[in-house]
Each structure stands twice: as structure tokens, then as C-alpha cells.
Amino acid sequence: MTPSLDPSQSNPSHSSATVRFQGWVQGLRGNNHVQFLQLRMDGRIFQVVAEKDFLGEDIFKKVKALPQETSLVVNGVIQKNEKAPGGSELFLHSFAIVGESHQYPITPKEHGPDFLHNHRHLWLRSKRQLAIQRVRSELSFAIREFFRNDGYTLIDTPILTGSIGESAGTLFSTEYFDLGQAYLAQTGQLYLETAAFAHSKVYCFGPTFRAEKSKTRRHLTEFWMLEAETAFLGQDGNLDLQERFVKTVLQTTIERTLEDLKTLDRDPAPLLEQLKRPFPRVDYGEAIQVLQTAGEEISWGEDINSEREQILTYHYGNAIFIQNFPRAIKAFYMKQNPEDQRTVLSADLIAPDGIGEIIGGSEREESYEKIVERLQKEGLPPEDYSWYLDLRKYGSVPHSGFGMGLERVIAWICGLSHIRECIPFPRMIYRLSP
């Protein structure tokens, strides 16, 4: 048997050894004398050259007739070719079909988004989707790498919970045996806070669920979120951490996926330039004034929607932190601002280019009495949060945290207009399959 070889690890100058590759036919092009077979292996495309004069007419005809997505074993020798993907190619000696493919539905012609999402299980094989998912993989690794290097402990928080972390109006609920309602987690934050009092620096990274009846290109009902909590850290330090984190993981991911970004026609240079500059920290009140000057009819106390977020990022020329939001429009656990009790020590990081909010964070309220007051005001029974309130009874300390949505960051890196391409199987209010 001939040896198997990873083409990315091969040395093209060693062209005498016969190697064996396994993969799928991504595409074919050529003429009556030579065919260039695009073989997909390990999510990457490798070129296989089939010459009629070498193979003979019968085998060459079989190569030329191979349908898209046929799975193959190919044997041949590696040869250098700067024009080929990766700078080398396989000169074909022989092949064998492993699995046949007939009338593959996703052809090279244009298809609409509904058709492609109905065939998402197959669409993932396309060059564009291969590139996006590799960016996602590298970004996920860079996130874990950052927090490991920074001394954070990974905490796996529950998916099923009896406590509401954000808004009751965006919960998926189910009956939980004899214990009443259970909810799919909107956030792991409340549980992560408990771990911060044990390990000081903690993070979680996993799926999150929001039953938002939104059809915008920025929303999914299931997405992945990175959340971090740090004991003995105030609001300013929290923003410093967020900025350092975002810049580090984006720069690392871009460096590791330059070929994938090229496949996506995404020039990373403008984004890298943005990352070199500080992210402005804009007070909510100042943001409202800027929007009013721009002609927006908005008053203090209103939330800032996605269109207005982009007005602000354009005005400041970069991603920006909007901080010190009104207390009435933020969650119960956010610390009241001692300098303006109408507001909380919170901040959203807004990305430009139509991406919008990628991080929400705050210093957490450490006062038992103030949290109970907010729970009661929002109609949440304090007894359901007794375990969370215990944190404020036994050694409470200042602490801060934040959450970052993975898919919006992928869209920012890749220059994508819709978030549905940023996750392998998107869940939206109108899609639950495949």
C-alpha cells in the first residue's frame, strides 16, 4: 500500500515518492488532454492533475466524467506548481471511487439563500463556507488561548436553568418534571459570578438561546457566547480587559486565516488598522447628543438601536464603547453609578461596518439590598435567586464581567452581511432545519 500524506505537510521537491490521498471531488476543469481535479481533503482544496497521455484514454474518460462530490482515493506524486492552491499538486497515477454521487443539488450556478439554507448540510462543503468555518474554528481557539494565557479558569455553566438572567420576554421555556418551568440559558453569567468568588478569574464559552422575534441579519435564536467574570475588578479595568481581549483574538485569528479571508475577498488591512487605535469610550449622554445633532429624534432614556449605533461608529471612526446606560433599560445585576444614580456602570462595545454590538458588560452590583430591590421592581421573585444572593452575604467584593457574541465577531472579521453564514446550522424564527 502506498503511504498517505497530508499535502500541507508535503515537500514538493520530493516528487519521486508515490502518495495516497482521500477526499471528495469539489470540481473539474480542463480539456481533452488534461483535467484539473479539485479534491477536498480535511476541509481544504488540493489540485490533482490527470493527463490523458499518461493515464490512457479509458481512465482519462472516467476522470473527466467524475460527478461533483464523488469520494475518491487517488495515488500519484507531488509536484510543485505555484499556480495551484498551496503551491503544489498531485500528478495522478491511479484512482478508485469510494462513494458515488449523482445529481448533487448545489451546482456551480447561482442559488438563492432559501435553497442554500434548505441544503445547509451540503452547502457547508462549498469553498466559501469552508473558509468561514475555519475562521470560526481559529477564533474559538484564540478565545480559549487568550483566557488560558491570562490565568482564567474555564467553568461550564448549565444550559437548563430555573433563573432568568436577562429578560423574561426572550426565554425558551419547558416543563421540568415536578419542579415547574425550566429555561434554556440566555447567559451563563449568574453561575459564572459564583465561580469568580472561588477562582477569581473565570470564563465560559458555549451556546446561548434568545427567543427574540427578530428577522434582522444580526440575530439568531441560538448563538455562541464567550462570557468572563473577574473578582476585584472595576468598570475601567473591565473595559481595559475587553479591549485587549478583542484586539488580541482578532489579530491572532486574522494572522492564521489570511488564505481563508482571501477566498472570501476580505481585505483585512482596514480592520487591522482599526485595531491599532484605541476604542473611544463614549458616555451614553454624549452618544445621545451626537445622535440628536445628526438629526435623530431620540431622548435620554431610550435604547440605541442598530442603525443609530452605526451613526456613532461612523462619527468616531472606529469601534466604540458606549458606557453608563440608564439603569431602567439594563439588567438587575448591574452596579448603580455612584456619580449618577440614574445610570449603571455598564458598557456595550459597538463594531462598525454594520455589525453592531459585539460585547455587553458591566461592573456587578455587590450590594445585597440593591439587587433585591431591582429583582422586586422587575417582578422577579428573590427566593428564586437565593443562591445568587448568597454571594452578597458571604464575602462580597467588587467584580465585573462581559459577554461577547461569537457570530457577530466572525461577521466582522469575514466582512459578511448576514450572521446566518457564521454558524454551521443557523437557528432563526423561521428556520429549525436542517
Side-chain angles (χ1 to χ4, degrees), residues 16 28 89-90 96 116 122 130 169 213 220 235-236 246 251 264 286 290 329 347 351 356 361 371 392 403:
S16 59
L28 270 171
E89 61 191 11
L90 183 79
L116 291 171
L122 301 176
L130 291 171
K213 294 182 178 180
L220 297 167
Q235 172 74 341
D236 289 339
V246 168
Q251 288 168 345
L264 297 169
E286 178 186 333
V290 170
I329 62 173
I371 290 187
R392 277 71 183 174

Side-chain angles (χ1 to χ4, degrees), residues 94-339:
S94 63
F95 76 96
I97 293 176
V98 176
E100 295 183 345
S101 173
H102 300 289
Q103 296 181 330
Y104 185 68
I106 303 179
T107 60
K109 72 174 186 179
E110 283 287 325
H111 296 286
D114 283 343
F115 177 89
L116 291 171
H117 280 283
N118 288 338
H119 295 84
R120 182 65 171 170
H121 54 296
L122 301 176
W123 189 27
L124 287 173
R125 305 179 185 187
S126 72
K127 288 183 180 179
R128 177 182 174 86
Q129 301 308 313
L130 291 171
I132 293 170
Q133 295 311 315
R134 274 195 299 271
V135 172
R136 182 188 177 100
S137 177
E138 290 293 347
L139 176 59
S140 297
F141 180 77
I143 287 170
R144 297 180 186 276
E145 188 177 43
F146 175 90
F147 282 105
R148 187 178 188 279
N149 291 340
D150 232 44
Y152 280 71
T153 300
L154 173 66
I155 302 295
D156 295 320
T157 58
I159 298 297
L160 281 173
T161 177
S163 302
I164 298 170
E166 295 289 338
S167 168
T170 61
L171 284 166
F172 287 105
S173 62
T174 185
E175 289 296 325
Y176 195 75
F177 305 107
D178 297 328
L179 298 180
Q181 291 283 311
Y183 309 102
L184 291 180
Q186 300 168 312
T187 173
Q189 180 211 311
L190 303 187
Y191 295 95
L192 207 58
E193 282 188 62
T194 70
F197 281 50
H199 296 276
S200 295
K201 300 165 68 175
V202 294
Y203 78 101
C204 64
F205 189 26
T208 303
F209 306 88
R210 302 280 172 91
E212 294 178 309
K213 294 182 178 180
S214 174
K215 294 183 179 180
T216 76
R217 59 187 178 84
R218 301 168 59 249
H219 287 89
L220 297 167
T221 57
E222 178 184 343
F223 60 97
W224 276 61
M225 187 155 66
L226 172 284
E227 297 179 88
E229 293 289 328
T230 312
F232 302 101
L233 186 71
Q235 172 74 341
D236 289 339
N238 194 28
L239 296 184
D240 291 342
L241 173 62
Q242 291 174 45
E243 183 163 353
R244 180 167 59 88
F245 162 65
V246 168
K247 290 181 175 181
T248 299
V249 298
L250 262 68
Q251 288 168 345
T252 299
T253 302
I254 289 169
E255 289 169 3
R256 293 172 178 172
T257 59
L258 289 174
E259 284 301 314
D260 296 310
L261 296 177
K262 187 176 180 181
T263 297
L264 297 169
D265 294 323
R266 172 62 160 165
D267 178 8
L271 176 52
L272 290 171
E273 279 300 313
Q274 290 174 358
L275 298 178
K276 292 178 182 178
R277 304 194 299 271
F279 296 160
R281 300 180 183 184
V282 181
D283 187 82
Y284 167 86
E286 178 186 333
I288 295 298
Q289 291 177 357
V290 170
L291 290 170
Q292 290 172 341
T293 301
E296 294 293 306
E297 295 184 4
I298 186 172
S299 302
W300 197 99
E302 295 182 45
D303 207 352
I304 299 173
N305 64 25
S306 58
E307 291 77 13
R308 288 165 173 164
E309 287 174 345
Q310 293 312 301
I311 293 173
L312 293 169
T313 58
Y314 180 79
H315 176 83
Y316 290 98
N318 204 350
I320 62 169
F321 286 106
I322 304 176
Q323 59 182 347
N324 302 328
F325 280 86
R327 192 183 186 204
I329 62 173
K330 287 299 182 179
F332 70 87
Y333 50 75
M334 295 185 178
K335 183 176 177 63
Q336 194 169 18
N337 186 352
E339 296 181 2

Side-chain angles (χ1 to χ4, degrees), residues 303-416:
D303 207 352
I304 299 173
N305 64 25
S306 58
E307 291 77 13
R308 288 165 173 164
E309 287 174 345
Q310 293 312 301
I311 293 173
L312 293 169
T313 58
Y314 180 79
H315 176 83
Y316 290 98
N318 204 350
I320 62 169
F321 286 106
I322 304 176
Q323 59 182 347
N324 302 328
F325 280 86
R327 192 183 186 204
I329 62 173
K330 287 299 182 179
F332 70 87
Y333 50 75
M334 295 185 178
K335 183 176 177 63
Q336 194 169 18
N337 186 352
E339 296 181 2
D340 181 355
Q341 296 197 357
R342 301 176 304 162
T343 66
V344 287
L345 296 178
S346 64
D348 291 347
L349 178 58
I350 311 300
D353 306 325
I355 301 300
E357 179 192 340
I358 58 171
I359 285 182
S362 73
E363 186 170 340
R364 311 313 191 191
E365 182 60 74
E366 73 259 30
S367 165
Y368 179 95
E369 291 75 17
K370 287 185 177 180
I371 290 187
V372 170
E373 173 200 332
R374 285 300 304 276
L375 287 170
Q376 292 172 335
K377 189 173 183 179
E378 296 188 21
L380 300 173
E383 57 269 22
D384 287 354
Y385 295 84
S386 59
W387 57 272
Y388 180 71
L389 291 168
D390 276 351
L391 299 181
R392 277 71 183 174
K393 293 166 63 177
Y394 306 111
S396 185
V397 300
H399 61 290
S400 300
F402 65 91
M404 183 187 81
L406 183 71
E407 285 75 18
R408 289 187 186 176
V409 178
I410 294 168
W412 191 18
I413 293 172
C414 295
L416 303 178

Side-chain angles (χ1 to χ4, degrees), residues 50-123:
E51 287 190 0
K52 180 179 179 180
D53 289 346
F54 182 86
L55 296 172
E57 187 165 348
D58 289 344
I59 295 178
F60 183 78
K61 282 183 179 179
K62 291 178 181 178
V63 171
K64 194 175 179 181
L66 285 170
Q68 186 180 356
E69 291 302 325
T70 301
S71 53
L72 301 174
V73 174
V74 297
N75 298 283
V77 295
I78 297 285
Q79 58 188 20
K80 190 172 183 178
N81 181 353
E82 297 297 336
K83 295 182 180 180
S88 61
E89 61 191 11
L90 183 79
F91 186 81
L92 184 66
H93 285 185
S94 63
F95 76 96
I97 293 176
V98 176
E100 295 183 345
S101 173
H102 300 289
Q103 296 181 330
Y104 185 68
I106 303 179
T107 60
K109 72 174 186 179
E110 283 287 325
H111 296 286
D114 283 343
F115 177 89
L116 291 171
H117 280 283
N118 288 338
H119 295 84
R120 182 65 171 170
H121 54 296
L122 301 176
W123 189 27

